Amino acid sequence: MRLLFLVLLMLVGLIQYPLWVGKGGWFKVWEYQREVAAQRETNEGLRARNAALEAEVRDLDSGTGALEERARGDLGMMREGEVFVHVLPPGTPLPSANAVPQATAPKPAARAGSAPRR
């Protein structure tokens, strides 16, 4: 009787092995479920980013406000007549007067075939 019980227990174990550990077993299914959940989170973040980019593109297509904001922020452009004020963070040393380069007028280009003036 005891031997029969052990044999049946081994048979049940052999039958259960592929179900738990085999190629399509429960452990693989749980691992795949975790991977799918992580990928869904990644996809949701990418969907939100895509929606924001799509809204920005629509705004750039439809109006000049976003285009002007992009030109000001990213390219540092200003309108004619505006004044640029640069605010330094606290604790930043001010540049000395000697360190600021003076604007110079551009030199006229030499004409081809003419001798330089002295």
Side-chain angles (χ1 to χ4, degrees), residues 8-104:
L8 288 175
L9 186 64
M10 284 183 73
L11 286 175
V12 169
L14 288 173
I15 292 172
Q16 292 288 317
Y17 178 79
L19 177 68
W20 291 95
V21 184
K23 188 174 182 180
W26 282 109
F27 292 127
K28 288 284 188 185
V29 170
W30 290 333
E31 180 182 334
Y32 292 149
Q33 285 176 343
R34 282 193 304 270
E35 288 177 13
V36 167
Q39 189 62 48
R40 282 192 178 139
E41 287 180 22
T42 303
N43 290 349
E44 286 303 316
L46 293 175
R47 276 192 193 98
R49 186 194 71 174
N50 288 347
L53 288 173
E54 184 180 346
E56 186 175 351
V57 166
R58 270 188 269 117
D59 195 24
L60 287 171
D61 280 342
S62 65
T64 59
L67 188 61
E68 184 177 338
E69 180 183 339
R70 176 71 70 129
R72 287 172 182 270
D74 293 348
L75 303 175
M77 299 179 91
M78 297 183 302
R79 281 189 183 161
E80 202 169 309
E82 286 184 334
V83 177
F84 176 75
V85 178
H86 185 81
V87 179
L88 296 174
T92 305
L94 295 174
S96 65
N98 295 339
V100 178
Q102 298 296 323
T104 59

